[in-house]
Amino acid sequence: MQMNAASIQNQKAEWEALGVKVPAFDRPAVVAATKEHPIWVHFGAGNIFRGFIAALQQKLLDEGLSDKGIIAADTFDYDIITKIYDPYDNLTMMVTLNPDGTTSREIIGSVVEGLRADSSDAGQMARFKEIFTDPSLQMISFTITEKGYAIYRPDGSLMPVVQADIDEGPSKARHAMSMVAALLLERFNAGKYPLAVVSMDNCSHNGEKLQSSVMAVAKAWLEKGYVGQDFIDYLTDESKIAFPWSMIDKITPRPHKIVEEQLAKDGIEGMTPIVTGKNTFIAAFVNAERPQYLVVEDKFPNGRPPLEKAGVYLTDRDTVNKTERMKVTTCLNPLHTAMSVYGCMLGYTLICDEMKDADIVALIKRLGYVEGLPVVVNPGILDPKAFIDEVVEQRLPNPFMPDAPQRIATDTSQKVGIRFGETIKSYIAEGRDLNTLVSIPLALAGWLRYLLAVDDEGKAFEVSSDPLKDELQAKLAGIEAGKPETYNGQLKGILNNASIFGVDLTTTPLADKIEQYFVAELAGPGAVRKTLHDALAEA
């Protein structure tokens, strides 16, 4: 069996015999209607979109609650469109990994078109302009990762590509934020039509980050004379352009060999993962856990699909912010990051296996329950303690979720300020004693020790990709695992960087504690384990 538009129309019985649910709606009609008058464009065509967001619209389509699909676009990795979307008629095989070891399969057909947001491709840009100048367009959404919104380098200067976009104007936009600003300009020029611009990325204040970056580009174009003040007024008028905040939560790890083999065994062809030119490991299938949460600020000036009927929480910004803070700064993301860096150093390749390690479990339980919960504000729609309970007892230990600490450790420099810095700032703001923190300084010390690229047995390993990896490793130069005497205060030049941690840690007692843990973890083989165990046992 091959997954394509023809097979899901003509071979429904065969698919269902393989335990695969196929779209219940008239997909050709939905494709035609969406292409003629689109309502939703999504930027970031990867797994979280295909396995979660696209499935939400599929539910609405299946139940007759919508008659339009989604147009997917990628601003970074065009191979995803040409090699994963186009050959499969924009279909995705969604495989849900249940805690009891069973899987559920569904072909997601709500995506009707895949585009490359490439300003050098005249054909693709012409299509984008058609879409963005259509009054029917209600929303554009994003899962481009937290770094996708970044337009500044760590030293505060603009990234060279963004500076070039500003200098050369909207027609040459290349960076994702410049591209969005340029397409909003097209919409403005066509009739000042309203639109919701919705970040669905897993980061704090995502809507604010998106808005800030788009506005920075637009205002720079104003200074250069590429746009007028009326365009800036349009972008800042919430009755025209809104930037809703959101909180998203669903683990969609890289395609796993076990799932690939199960699909192949059942005669489902074309499911072998590929590695794109941008080094994305991706397949025509997505494997993911069942639990999922999406909370969105209900601010859509041109209307929206009835997403609440697909399980989305539509609410006010304050509730979104509280829910997001609950998850990103306390109840899940910090636990993930802390266990990932230690998991890499202790030789683990699966998150679920780490949950059999008493020291790692002690680390994340203290991090969530003891250090995080005291500064969490209950959002009202989800209970923080119950959320951590589900994470610790069901989600992370799920042996059928093939997620890897190496994946979670990616881009850690872009995450620690939110995942740990926000709690540190809350402690400071509330006058709490920072000396009571153990898991947070352990996590930060562990991350810096991890950057030495030597595991707890003294063996070299590959550090996951990170935009600051080279810079940070250069600051750590001269430090050798197994030789604590090689430490001569090198961490101070990192710990004082508030752009990384959200606060200058050298102004707090945490810096000394992080240094102590870090040096202890240099002692030799087994030192990482011993430091982790002893610190938590004494806490």
Side-chain angles (χ1 to χ4, degrees), residues 199-240:
S199 172
M200 295 181 177
D201 265 298
N202 178 21
C203 59
S204 180
H205 295 191
N206 51 18
E208 185 177 60
K209 286 182 168 60
L210 172 55
Q211 182 178 25
S212 177
S213 294
V214 170
M215 292 306 303
V217 172
K219 288 178 179 177
W221 282 339
L222 173 66
E223 292 179 6
K224 295 279 186 178
Y226 287 116
V227 303
Q229 181 62 41
D230 51 353
F231 177 54
I232 305 300
D233 294 342
Y234 166 74
L235 293 180
T236 55
D237 181 353
E238 287 195 337
S239 71
K240 293 293 186 181

Side-chain angles (χ1 to χ4, degrees), residues 292-308:
Q292 58 185 36
Y293 302 91
L294 180 59
V295 184
V296 183
E297 180 184 5
D298 198 0
K299 190 177 290 183
F300 292 80
N302 203 32
R304 59 169 175 78
L307 291 168
E308 68 277 8

Side-chain angles (χ1 to χ4, degrees), residues 40-44 49 53 139-143 196-200:
W40 186 351
V41 175
H42 184 88
F43 291 91
F49 165 65
I53 297 163
M139 63 185 289
I140 59 174
S141 54
F142 301 81
T143 50
V197 183
V198 192
S199 172
M200 295 181 177

Side-chain angles (χ1 to χ4, degrees), residues 10-301:
N10 304 323
Q11 296 176 279
K12 287 186 177 182
E14 289 91 331
W15 280 116
E16 289 169 356
L18 294 173
V20 179
K21 182 182 176 184
V22 297
F25 56 91
D26 183 343
R27 189 166 185 265
V30 168
V31 170
T34 306
K35 286 187 176 182
E36 184 176 3
H37 292 300
I39 62 168
W40 186 351
V41 175
H42 184 88
F43 291 91
N47 289 345
I48 188 68
F49 165 65
R50 297 192 297 149
F52 184 7
I53 297 163
L56 296 172
Q57 190 66 6
Q58 172 116 334
K59 180 175 173 61
L60 297 182
L61 288 165
D62 278 346
E63 296 180 4
L65 298 172
S66 181
D67 61 357
K68 300 284 182 69
I70 307 174
I71 295 170
D74 212 279
T75 59
F76 174 72
D77 195 340
Y78 305 142
D79 281 355
I80 292 176
I81 301 299
T82 58
K83 296 180 179 179
I84 293 297
Y85 278 70
D86 293 348
Y88 300 92
D89 298 327
N90 304 304
L91 299 169
T92 293
M93 176 71 69
M94 176 62 199
V95 181
T96 301
L97 306 166
N98 303 313
D100 64 0
T102 62
T103 60
S104 306
R105 301 171 178 174
E106 179 178 12
I107 293 177
I108 304 299
S110 59
V111 180
V112 306
E113 189 174 2
L115 297 174
R116 302 181 304 280
D118 179 359
S119 61
S120 68
D121 188 320
Q124 293 287 288
M125 294 316 298
R127 178 59 182 141
F128 273 110
K129 290 175 183 179
E130 286 179 358
I131 294 166
F132 272 76
T133 55
D134 193 319
S136 69
L137 188 64
Q138 296 179 330
M139 63 185 289
I140 59 174
S141 54
F142 301 81
T143 50
I144 57 176
T145 75
E146 187 166 359
K147 63 184 176 181
Y149 304 99
I151 61 174
Y152 297 101
R153 293 187 290 189
D155 65 5
S157 64
L158 283 168
M159 292 179 178
V161 65
V162 179
Q163 187 63 62
D165 288 345
I166 289 168
D167 292 340
E168 297 174 25
S171 65
K172 300 289 181 62
R174 284 153 293 219
H175 189 277
M177 297 296 95
S178 311
M179 178 68 70
V180 172
L183 291 171
L184 290 174
L185 179 61
E186 294 288 341
R187 191 163 182 81
F188 167 78
N189 288 332
K192 300 182 181 179
Y193 302 128
L195 190 69
V197 183
V198 192
S199 172
M200 295 181 177
D201 265 298
N202 178 21
C203 59
S204 180
H205 295 191
N206 51 18
E208 185 177 60
K209 286 182 168 60
L210 172 55
Q211 182 178 25
S212 177
S213 294
V214 170
M215 292 306 303
V217 172
K219 288 178 179 177
W221 282 339
L222 173 66
E223 292 179 6
K224 295 279 186 178
Y226 287 116
V227 303
Q229 181 62 41
D230 51 353
F231 177 54
I232 305 300
D233 294 342
Y234 166 74
L235 293 180
T236 55
D237 181 353
E238 287 195 337
S239 71
K240 293 293 186 181
I241 300 296
F243 292 87
W245 294 16
S246 72
M247 187 285 283
I248 191 167
D249 181 26
K250 186 180 179 76
I251 300 173
T252 52
R254 61 187 286 170
H256 198 270
K257 191 70 176 177
I258 293 173
V259 178
E260 177 193 348
E261 290 172 350
Q262 289 175 345
L263 295 171
K265 182 180 177 182
D266 285 344
I268 300 173
E269 302 172 15
M271 295 291 139
T272 302
I274 64 165
V275 179
T276 69
K278 297 286 190 179
N279 210 34
T280 303
F281 187 84
I282 195 167
F285 70 90
V286 172
N287 42 223
E289 65 174 347
R290 182 171 294 283
Q292 58 185 36
Y293 302 91
L294 180 59
V295 184
V296 183
E297 180 184 5
D298 198 0
K299 190 177 290 183
F300 292 80

